Amino acid sequence: MTKKIKGLNPELEQAISKLLQQVMADETASLTDKTKVLDRALKLEQIKQKIADDEWGKGFFNNDDGED
């Protein structure tokens, strides 16, 4: 089996970064357009943090209530 490579596609990161720069510099872009692109960039950062944190999501299966 091949091991799945961790991380994001660098081309995707570059495309979102370029799109963010273009939309923010465009005076004719609406606030809605700017917010959508900004949301994509923030979501990308959120995904990158989840990938970097090996402990993320492991606590979902812990029994913290003290019940057996």
Side-chain angles (χ1 to χ4, degrees):
M1 282 188 190
T2 60
K3 186 176 181 180
K4 187 174 180 180
I5 299 172
K6 266 189 160 182
L8 295 173
N9 185 343
E11 293 174 1
L12 174 65
E13 291 185 68
Q14 291 173 356
I16 290 176
S17 176
K18 186 177 177 181
L19 182 62
L20 181 63
Q21 291 172 357
Q22 290 174 346
V23 170
M24 291 302 172
D26 186 4
E27 295 177 7
T28 61
S30 70
L31 182 60
T32 304
D33 294 336
K34 290 181 179 186
T35 335
K36 286 181 181 180
V37 174
L38 186 60
D39 186 50
R40 285 184 189 152
L42 289 173
K43 187 66 175 177
L44 180 68
E45 289 301 317
Q46 181 184 21
I47 291 170
K48 285 172 28 179
Q49 287 179 1
K50 287 180 185 176
I51 289 173
D53 185 9
D54 291 335
E55 294 296 315
W56 190 88
K58 290 186 178 181
F60 292 124
F61 297 107
N62 291 346
N63 188 0
D64 293 337
D65 296 335
E67 299 173 9
D68 290 325

